[in-house]
Amino acid sequence: MSLATTIAQYRERANALWLARTDQERRFLAVGGAVVLLALLYLVLIDPAVEGRAQLRRQLPQLRQQAAELQSMAQEANTLARAPATQVAPITREGVTSSLSGRGLTPQSLSMTGEFIKLQLNNVSFAGLATWLDEQRRANRVLVQDATVTALPTAGQVDASLTLRQNTGASQ
C-alpha cells in the first residue's frame, strides 16, 4: 500500500464524515476549525513576535546605557594606551621601614639590593601583612618574588620571609 493510496483512503473517510453532517453541523465545524487555526497562528507566529518586541523595547534603554559605558571605557583605554608609562621612584630603606611601622609591622631583618628587598617578619598579623603588600603593590609597583609564610598557634599571626622586587618601569 503506497502513501498516495493511504492518503486517498483518509480523504474518502473524511469526506464521508463531512457529508454525513448536517449543514448546521458543517458550519459549526468550519467556524470551530477556523477559530482553532487562527488561535494556532496567533500562538505560533504573532504572540512570540509581539512579546519579543515588547521585551526589546523594555531592554533598549539599558542596552543603550551599556553601549555608552563601553564606548566611554574604550576611549579611556585608548587614552591610557597612548599615554607614556609612568616611572616609579625607587623605594628606599627608610620608605619601607616607615610604611611597615605605619601598619604596625616590625621587621626582624631588612636588606635592599637594587630593586630587590629581603624582609623577615616574626609574629605579625597576616591581615596587616597582606594589606601592606597590597599597598606596596599599588603605590610602588612592588611584587612578591618569593614568600615563606608560617602560621603561628595564635590565630591570625604568622612568621614571614619575603623577597620583593620593585618594577620601576625603567628596564622595560
Side-chain angles (χ1 to χ4, degrees):
M1 187 178 332
S2 71
L3 182 63
T5 57
T6 306
I7 292 174
Q9 287 176 352
Y10 282 123
R11 283 185 72 178
E12 286 178 23
R13 287 183 195 162
N15 197 18
L17 285 172
W18 184 256
L19 293 176
R21 304 287 161 233
T22 65
D23 284 339
Q24 184 179 9
E25 288 176 328
R26 287 182 201 161
R27 272 185 259 130
F28 282 148
L29 287 173
V31 169
V35 167
V36 168
L37 181 65
L38 288 175
L40 282 174
L41 286 175
Y42 178 80
L43 291 174
V44 172
L45 300 176
I46 298 170
D47 187 47
V50 170
E51 285 297 319
R53 187 173 180 191
Q55 182 180 4
L56 288 174
R57 188 173 290 138
R58 287 189 303 268
Q59 291 177 344
L60 190 59
Q62 180 184 8
L63 292 173
R64 284 186 177 146
Q65 175 68 28
Q66 289 174 352
E69 288 174 10
L70 284 174
Q71 288 174 346
S72 168
M73 284 189 234
Q75 288 174 347
E76 184 178 346
N78 285 336
T79 303
L80 291 174
R82 281 186 259 123
T86 58
Q87 292 188 359
V88 176
I91 195 165
T92 63
R93 182 180 182 90
E94 292 77 26
V96 172
T97 305
S98 67
S99 67
L100 282 168
S101 63
R103 288 281 172 200
L105 303 171
T106 307
Q108 297 302 313
S109 67
L110 172 66
S111 63
M112 296 184 66
T113 309
E115 61 188 22
F116 290 96
I117 305 164
K118 187 136 177 88
L119 186 62
Q120 175 66 43
L121 299 163
N122 291 335
N123 196 21
V124 295
S125 165
F126 180 74
L129 177 62
T131 303
W132 180 79
L133 285 171
D134 186 51
E135 178 183 290
Q136 293 305 305
R137 178 186 62 85
R138 292 173 192 264
N140 299 314
R141 292 187 185 169
V142 173
L143 303 172
V144 177
Q145 287 294 114
D146 185 37
T148 304
V149 180
T150 307
L152 297 177
T154 307
Q157 296 297 105
V158 295
D159 287 342
S161 175
L162 304 169
T163 302
L164 309 173
R165 178 178 172 262
Q166 183 183 28
N167 181 4
T168 59
S171 62
Q172 295 181 358

